[in-house]
Amino acid sequence: MAAEKHAFDKRTEARPPGHEEATMRSFSEKLDLYARLAIQVGANLQTGQRLTISAPLEAAEYVRRLVREGYAAGAYDVYVDWHDDAVAKVRLLQASEEALADVPAWLVERYETLMAQRACQISIGIPTPDLLRDVPPARLAASRRAQNLAMQRANEERLAKTNWLLIAAAGPDWARKVYPDEPVEQAVEHLWDTVFELCRIDASDPIAVWREHALDLRRRADYLNGQRIRRLRYEGPGTDLEVELPAAHVWETAEMVNEAGTRYVANIPTEEAFTAPRRDGVRGTVRATKPLNYGGVMIEGIRLELKDGEIVAYDADAGRESLAALIATDEGSRRLGEVALVSQDSPIARSGRLFYNTLYDENASCHLAIGAAIPSCIEGGRGMSAEEMLAAGGNRSIAHVDFMIGSDELSVTGEGPGGEAVPLLRRGRWAF
Ligand code: ZN
């Protein structure tokens, strides 16, 4: 187990200061560091700011540490919003259709109030792959749609105004899926070790290493912005896709700056540079290279055909009905909203593991998203009305779902303003 854990990162040469491995830390010390990383680098909580944490019950141990670190960093107050996927499943199976489509106003108000107060938000995901397999897709889609619609305004406020973070915690269901051959307790421990390793918590100074890593990704995005790429060409097994970029597109990383000027890293881990495609400028075929855990239902072997930006044909080996429901969400969910480049050299890709969790799998692989463009990927996009966003070429939808298309066999080439080829990825790895 230990051998396997480090097999892909066994470097013997000296590492720069802060990067050398700190092997003597206990689990508890690592969990504390993981909390500090979330507060100081991820969410970058500001003094006097409110902090809201959305977390499953299984993450209690981690949440307590986040709360401690939050107050230590000067939080005005910290609110924890507990949930339980097993309870959510009972509701999805047993509540009336009317209740499923009914998001109480007080719930919406709570979120909107927090966002109006610019509360910092941390969401902890413990993916539960396959949990919702038995829920009829139509019920699941109805509930998700109602939720997304009700929270759309607050979500847009969050993207524009606050600093927020999505981070994962190990739990039994997820661990069972990633390490199916191990007794569950051991699998959870093993998964925590993996999370710590892939999130660079094993470095002697993880905070410094993360600041450097964020800068590294920022340099990639800066290079891409400097190339003024007009279109991207993807070539790989089952994939032959052309993606036009809007004239005002911006390459971004998960390191963002909100209206208040706070710089934060919205995903831990993160390995991507991404932008928005032209909503009417995607054509060709694309095949997913990893299964997608779409909110508790696995969709495998996704294939799409696009014309003028629109998905005109699709199929999947498993979960086809869920894919159909996703694409049918609204007008915009038949188009793409994100193109992201990730090198196969990313630690998650090198681990060779499938995590059944988009936060991890998307950072091991180039990906596309079905649905909305991220506003900051269009120049001035944050202040744009829906009409302005559409006019700039960016897509609008209440859905935004990533699916993975990267592999060792994928090539991505940009086309510069003069028609020149700009190699971006070769055999899945950075070519610049
Ligand atoms: Zn992405």
Side-chain angles (χ1 to χ4, degrees):
M1 227 170 51
E4 177 200 309
K5 207 177 67 181
H6 290 289
F8 66 92
D9 197 20
K10 201 79 195 162
R11 293 180 227 171
T12 44
E13 74 269 30
R15 299 192 191 183
H19 289 256
E20 61 280 301
E21 213 168 313
T23 46
M24 300 310 285
R25 281 192 195 118
S26 66
F27 171 77
S28 175
E29 286 167 323
K30 288 184 187 181
L31 202 58
D32 276 338
L33 271 173
Y34 190 51
R36 200 163 306 149
L37 179 70
I39 296 287
Q40 293 187 9
V41 177
N44 192 12
L45 179 83
Q46 301 294 292
T47 307
Q49 202 177 13
R50 289 165 210 270
L51 169 63
T52 166
I53 301 172
S54 156
L57 299 175
E58 290 88 343
E61 188 51 46
Y62 181 49
V63 171
R64 290 178 195 125
R65 291 167 200 247
L66 278 176
V67 173
R68 272 204 295 273
E69 290 291 336
Y71 283 114
Y76 168 76
D77 214 344
V78 184
Y79 320 102
V80 181
D81 187 9
W82 297 105
H83 56 84
D84 178 20
D85 284 342
V87 167
K89 181 178 180 176
V90 174
R91 174 174 179 267
L92 282 163
L93 285 170
Q94 298 190 6
S96 70
E97 268 174 45
E98 189 191 346
L100 278 186
D102 182 2
V103 182
W106 52 268
L107 262 180
V108 179
E109 210 173 299
R110 177 185 188 279
Y111 190 24
E112 287 186 349
T113 303
L114 283 165
M115 292 306 108
Q117 293 172 328
R118 296 177 186 269
C120 173
Q121 192 196 29
I122 298 181
S123 300
I124 299 167
I126 298 194
T128 46
D130 297 326
L131 177 84
L132 303 181
R133 197 173 29 194
D134 315 328
V135 177
R139 287 175 63 85
L140 197 54
S143 158
R144 188 177 283 133
R145 199 185 136 70
Q147 179 81 13
N148 286 351
L149 263 177
M151 300 299 183
Q152 187 175 21
R153 208 175 68 191
N155 262 326
E156 286 174 359
E157 292 266 294
R158 172 175 56 91
L159 288 174
K161 287 190 174 163
T162 73
N163 33 330
W164 56 277
L165 166 68
L166 177 62
I167 193 166
D173 289 325
W174 186 23
R176 231 180 257 127
K177 190 81 183 177
V178 179
Y179 297 115
D181 301 332
E182 296 174 23
V184 67
E185 251 172 70
Q186 189 185 323
V188 172
E189 251 176 65
H190 192 175
L191 185 55
W192 267 122
D193 274 344
T194 305
V195 164
F196 292 148
E197 181 174 11
L198 298 179
C199 293
R200 299 168 163 87
I201 296 296
D202 288 336
S204 65
D205 186 350
I207 305 271
V209 165
W210 261 90
R211 296 215 159 105
E212 215 175 286
H213 174 55
L215 203 65
D216 232 49
L217 289 170
R218 170 53 51 203
R219 283 192 207 108
R220 301 250 175 228
D222 287 347
Y223 172 86
L224 291 163
N225 284 322
Q227 295 298 311
R228 294 169 41 234
I229 292 164
R230 288 201 308 208
R231 55 172 67 94
L232 303 169
R233 173 148 213 114
Y234 288 76
E235 288 162 296
T239 292
D240 184 2
L241 192 72
E242 188 182 283
V243 178
E244 284 180 53
L245 301 181
H249 75 273
V250 179
W251 288 92
E252 279 268 37
T253 70
E255 185 190 47
M256 299 181 180
V257 183
N258 64 21
E259 279 179 6
T262 306
R263 191 172 281 277
Y264 61 102
V265 181
N267 286 179
I268 289 182
T270 182
E271 306 287 343
E272 59 177 326
F274 56 91
T275 190
R278 263 192 76 111
R279 67 189 297 280
D280 58 357
V282 186
R283 57 193 71 87
T285 52
V286 62
R287 186 196 289 171
T289 50
K290 291 173 190 281
L292 166 65
N293 176 5
Y294 177 42
V297 179
M298 297 306 302
I299 309 180
E300 291 178 41
I302 296 175
R303 274 134 15 232
L304 304 180
E305 188 185 328
L306 293 108
K307 212 176 147 188
D308 300 326
E310 197 180 336
I311 298 169
V312 290
Y314 60 86
D315 207 354
D317 298 328
R320 190 180 186 280
E321 241 183 302
S322 297
L323 177 63
L326 165 61
I327 293 170
T329 304
D330 59 17
E331 170 63 31
S333 57
R334 288 184 292 150
R335 297 173 186 272
L336 304 185
E338 180 187 333
V339 290
L341 301 179
V342 177
S343 172
Q344 293 294 114
D345 280 333
S346 99
I348 305 167
R350 282 155 69 202
S351 79
R353 287 230 167 256
L354 189 59
F355 287 93
Y356 306 94
N357 166 9
T358 300
L359 180 60
Y360 276 70
D361 293 332
E362 76 166 333
N363 283 304
S365 174
C366 285
H367 52 272
L368 303 171
I370 290 175
I374 295 161
S376 55
C377 288
I378 304 277
E379 240 176 85
R382 274 175 173 163
M384 280 182 181
S385 66
E387 295 69 34
E388 288 168 332
M389 178 54 81
L390 294 174
N395 196 30
R396 296 260 312 168
S397 173
I398 57 168
H400 178 99
V401 178
D402 290 343
F403 63 100
M404 281 58 78
I405 62 166
S407 74
D408 285 342
E409 293 163 291
L410 182 72
S411 277
V412 184
T413 308
E415 186 189 304
E420 68 279 16
V422 185
L424 300 178
L425 290 173
R426 286 291 174 269
R427 304 194 64 76
R429 284 160 177 79
W430 296 123
F432 62 93

